[in-house]
Amino acid sequence: MAPNAGPAGSLDVVVRQLRWEADGVVSIDLASAAGNPLPSWAPGAHIDLVLPNGLERQYSLCGPPGERSYYRIGVRRERASRGGSEYVHAFLRPGQRISIKGPRNNFGFGPAGSYVFVAGGIGITPILPMVRAAEAQGADWQLFFGGRTSASMPFLDELGGYGKRVRCHPSDTAGRIPLAELERPVEAGAKVYACGPASLLSDLDTAAENWPAEALHLERFKAPQLAPAENKPVEVECAASKKTVSVGADESIVNALDKAGIPTVTSCRSGICGSCETKVLDGVPDHRDGILSASEQAAGDRMFICVSRACTPRLVLDL
């Protein structure tokens, strides 16, 4: 195994620095254990943290765009979580060696005449590099940043250098982010990039119903809650493997493929990390992820097989 490599598909890194950014939020700088430049990345990218206790969790890169000497992530301690953030806060320390996967980018930052950024709490992490990129481009931009209290909102010191372009809305003193104020810049051609809790993103989805198509771009912590749907069995033909797998109504495509010995790449298994993206050669996917936009879902040429299923009795996948 190469000195820079971790487990299959991963990279060994060392915790270079931890820093408190707000109540319950720590930022972590990760450098290559071998001292090599890390893989290149762009605003919106995230990595999978492979923790020593066996958990894998996804965290957005929030350092300077394109920085390759280290990666920075921000982690809020969620005691009611499945254990990832608790482990990070309780056990990760400078000098410790861990593994990462990625980076991957499901939240790509595209060109626009102007930008509106919306962040709630720890949702500021994927937005920070976009803010820096927009500023470096000389673009017109503004950021609406909300949280429970000022003390709970990370990276405020860093954002303070942008002056009035950043509007902070701690809900205990300033109320919620005024989403109605986004309508005018959107009508003028702005793109909106947002990340935060489900309630904020749901409100943005509602606000965007009359916006131009593709104006709103969201990064979700969890796949959206969809109306209950009946799971039906599906035949999955794996074109490259020349195998056909029967997927029962009570199992995911990923699990059925795993049992059949067909290798897949997965991490979150909840439709948000993008690691299991698979090309669809035939059939109609039933999209249940939190990544693809409406137009991307309608194209039907790719799907995330950890959560999505099929609208047709058969799918042909490039596996």
Side-chain angles (χ1 to χ4, degrees):
M1 183 178 290
N4 201 43
S10 67
L11 180 72
D12 275 353
V13 295
V14 62
V15 178
R16 192 173 83 173
Q17 178 175 279
L18 287 92
R19 184 173 47 252
W20 286 105
E21 302 290 355
D23 289 349
V25 178
V26 66
S27 65
I28 303 161
D29 292 357
L30 303 165
S32 164
N36 300 325
L38 293 164
S40 60
W41 62 283
H46 71 270
I47 58 172
D48 295 354
L49 210 61
V50 184
L51 297 170
N53 62 356
L55 294 176
E56 292 187 23
R57 295 292 183 265
Q58 293 74 45
Y59 297 104
S60 297
L61 295 178
C62 60
E67 176 63 60
R68 297 181 63 192
S69 65
Y70 71 96
Y71 288 157
R72 176 170 296 165
I73 60 174
V75 181
R76 181 179 296 282
R77 191 172 203 166
E78 301 285 358
R79 298 184 185 276
S81 75
R82 294 174 294 164
S85 69
E86 183 67 19
Y87 187 95
V88 167
H89 278 255
F91 299 110
L92 281 194
R93 296 294 181 267
Q96 186 171 356
R97 187 164 169 156
I98 58 174
S99 296
I100 63 172
K101 295 179 181 178
R104 291 190 300 275
N105 200 334
N106 305 315
F107 192 37
F109 180 58
S114 60
Y115 300 94
V116 177
F117 303 111
V118 182
I122 197 63
I124 190 64
T125 50
I127 299 298
L128 268 178
M130 295 184 181
V131 165
R132 295 190 187 102
E135 181 72 6
Q137 294 167 12
D140 180 24
W141 65 270
Q142 57 183 316
L143 165 65
F144 294 83
F145 183 21
R148 295 188 302 273
T149 65
S150 292
S152 71
M153 297 166 63
F155 304 107
L156 285 181
D157 289 346
E158 191 170 326
L159 291 168
Y162 295 115
K164 293 183 179 179
R165 287 182 181 270
V166 177
R167 294 180 52 180
C168 294
H169 293 269
S171 58
D172 64 333
T173 59
R176 302 191 68 186
I177 295 172
L179 298 184
E181 294 187 24
L182 275 61
E183 185 170 349
R184 183 171 295 178
V186 168
E187 288 177 349
K191 285 187 176 180
V192 178
Y193 288 86
C195 181
S199 57
L200 173 63
L201 302 189
S202 177
D203 289 346
L204 275 166
D205 269 329
T206 300
E209 288 177 355
N210 297 317
W211 292 358
E214 304 301 321
L216 179 62
H217 303 266
L218 302 178
E219 173 91 318
R220 300 182 187 272
F221 298 141
K222 298 179 181 178
Q225 293 295 316
L226 304 175
E230 181 183 0
N231 289 343
K232 296 181 179 179
V234 59
E235 293 291 310
V236 174
E237 179 183 338
C238 301
S241 303
K242 301 188 185 316
K243 293 182 178 180
T244 297
V245 177
S246 297
V247 182
D250 59 346
E251 63 182 340
S252 67
I253 293 177
V254 158
N255 287 345
L257 294 177
D258 285 348
K259 289 193 296 185
I262 298 172
T264 59
V265 178
T266 62
S267 181
C268 74
R269 292 186 180 249
S270 60
I272 58 170
C273 79
S275 63
C276 67
E277 180 176 342
T278 302
K279 185 175 182 181
V280 178
L281 303 178
D282 195 22
V284 180
D286 177 6
H287 297 287
R288 302 184 185 184
D289 62 273
I291 298 172
L292 298 178
S293 68
S295 61
E296 290 169 334
Q297 290 185 355
D301 58 353
R302 55 186 171 130
M303 66 184 295
F304 298 94
I305 56 176
C306 67
V307 292
S308 296
R309 298 189 65 84
C311 297
T312 49
R314 186 178 182 86
L315 284 175
V316 181
L317 303 180
D318 187 20
L319 288 170

